[in-house]
Amino acid sequence: MAEVLLRRHLGRAGIDAHVSSAGLRPGGAPATDHGVAAMADRGLDLGANRSRRVDRDLVAGADL
């Protein structure tokens, strides 16, 4: 959810940035029904989002 919210806010501010997220859920899991509904209320679509586990390589490749 944070990824799509940040992407929207940066886009509205005219900031060109690559935004991605990761966490602790197993990779490939869909967003929860609650998450999909919460973002839909804000006009954002999480339907295609899939979880990704954070790992050392992902963190090493991040700017922030």
Side-chain angles (χ1 to χ4, degrees):
M1 292 188 322
E3 177 182 340
V4 296
L5 287 169
L6 180 58
R7 187 176 292 124
R8 172 188 269 177
H9 288 294
L10 291 174
R12 286 181 174 172
I15 298 170
D16 182 28
H18 174 77
V19 179
S20 65
S21 63
L24 300 177
R25 290 189 73 182
T32 64
D33 291 342
H34 175 74
V36 171
M39 293 299 98
D41 287 346
R42 291 161 178 78
L44 297 166
D45 181 12
L46 277 184
N49 283 41
R50 296 294 177 262
S51 64
R52 173 168 72 151
R53 264 198 192 267
V54 68
D55 63 26
R56 183 180 308 263
D57 292 335
L58 186 62
V59 173
D63 293 329
L64 298 174

